[in-house]
Amino acid sequence: QKEVEQDPGPLSVPEGAIVSLNCTYSNSAFQYFMWYRQYSRKGPELLMYTYSSGNKEDGRFTAQVDKSSKYISLFIRDSQPSDSATYLCASDYNQGGKLIFGQGTELSVKP
Amino acid sequence: EAGVAQSPRYKIIEKRQSVAFWCNPISGHATLYWYQQILGQGPKLLIQFQNNGVVDDSQLPKDRFSAERLKGVDSTLKIQPAKLEDSAVYLCASSERDTQYFGPGTRLTVL
């Protein structure tokens, strides 16, 4: 079993839709959870960073962690064509340590 | 602030040849990481440096891969000899504390 699992998609939505991206993880020792966005032929860039359980909001993006069910979610409101990318969830035991990534979900937002 | 620089951006070699990748991290970042990202998968950590010392190289195939970080700044990752399954994007990242910043990657194709 992979430590972090993610539905690879692809996911296609119309512009303006609410997008829900999800991951599950198996290791209860994970404390830090991140969402990265990766455009084609670019390196991943950090979108959201959360510690332990709870919600964190940044503009149109909301990250949610439920440690009881080992479930990580990213919601994108009012999705835009510029949001079209691969979204990677990642987990870590410690700050600044080895990130364990999911395989990524490819998102396409159609105008 | 300049980002993480990597070169070359693309490399095509034949199996059993050797190849080297170079990374220049963000100025002042003590921690440097090399990840391997196979098509359709999330990045997998190969090696983590703290200044010029190795913190984690548990997933580095040491029979063919080597990495060094001289003077705690730039780093090189070498593969010798390359195999077909080494075809991937090699990402370098650096961090000061808890956020990892990724470079654009080197796309390696082994024929």
Side-chain angles (χ1 to χ4, degrees), chain A residues 2 8 32 34 36 38 40-46 49 86 88 92 95-104, chain B residues 9-10 31 33 35 37 40-45 48 56 58-59 91 95 97-100 102-105 107:
Chain A
K2 292 183 179 178
Y32 299 89
M34 285 135 277
Y36 280 82
Q38 187 173 27
S40 180
R41 301 189 181 274
K42 302 285 187 183
E45 59 176 327
L46 183 66
Y49 182 107
T86 295
L88 297 155
D92 190 3
Q95 282 183 304
K98 176 171 73 176
L99 291 180
I100 309 296
F101 282 90
Q103 68 183 104
Chain B
R9 291 296 313 277
Y10 304 91
T31 310
Y33 314 79
Y35 288 85
Q37 186 175 23
Q41 297 183 22
K44 181 185 81 171
L45 181 73
Q48 177 183 350
D56 184 346
S58 57
Q59 297 191 95
L91 295 161
S95 70
R97 285 188 294 274
D98 52 3
T99 300
Q100 295 186 29
F102 285 81
R107 183 174 298 270

Side-chain angles (χ1 to χ4, degrees), chain B residues 32-35 45-49 54 56-57 60 67 77:
Chain B
L32 185 147
Y33 314 79
W34 283 102
Y35 288 85
L45 181 73
L46 292 175
I47 189 166
Q48 177 183 350
F49 291 96
V54 175
D56 184 346
D57 64 356
L60 187 73
L77 176 69

Side-chain angles (χ1 to χ4, degrees), chain A residues 55-75:
Chain A
N55 292 359
K56 186 173 183 179
E57 189 173 320
D58 184 1
R60 297 184 295 110
F61 299 89
T62 300
Q64 197 171 76
V65 176
D66 182 347
K67 292 196 75 180
S68 63
S69 59
K70 299 190 180 69
Y71 206 76
I72 313 164
S73 300
L74 178 71
F75 300 96

Side-chain angles (χ1 to χ4, degrees), chain B residues 44-106:
Chain B
K44 181 185 81 171
L45 181 73
L46 292 175
I47 189 166
Q48 177 183 350
F49 291 96
Q50 179 76 18
N51 295 308
N52 60 348
V54 175
V55 174
D56 184 346
D57 64 356
S58 57
Q59 297 191 95
L60 187 73
K62 297 180 186 65
D63 58 335
R64 297 184 301 106
F65 286 64
S66 64
E68 61 181 7
R69 190 181 184 198
L70 298 176
K71 301 180 181 179
V73 182
D74 293 4
S75 178
T76 56
L77 176 69
K78 297 179 182 178
I79 308 175
Q80 182 179 13
K83 293 186 175 181
L84 297 177
E85 59 261 36
D86 298 332
S87 294
V89 175
Y90 291 85
L91 295 161
C92 179
S94 69
S95 70
E96 188 177 20
R97 285 188 294 274
D98 52 3
T99 300
Q100 295 186 29
Y101 297 90
F102 285 81
T106 296

Side-chain angles (χ1 to χ4, degrees), chain B residues 6-50:
Chain B
Q6 291 187 246
S7 68
R9 291 296 313 277
Y10 304 91
K11 190 73 177 180
I12 300 174
I13 61 172
E14 296 192 349
K15 60 183 179 184
R16 292 188 288 275
Q17 286 187 322
S18 61
V19 65
F21 313 126
W22 174 82
C23 173
N24 180 234
I26 293 172
S27 178
H29 283 193
T31 310
L32 185 147
Y33 314 79
W34 283 102
Y35 288 85
Q36 180 193 57
Q37 186 175 23
I38 293 172
L39 184 65
Q41 297 183 22
K44 181 185 81 171
L45 181 73
L46 292 175
I47 189 166
Q48 177 183 350
F49 291 96
Q50 179 76 18

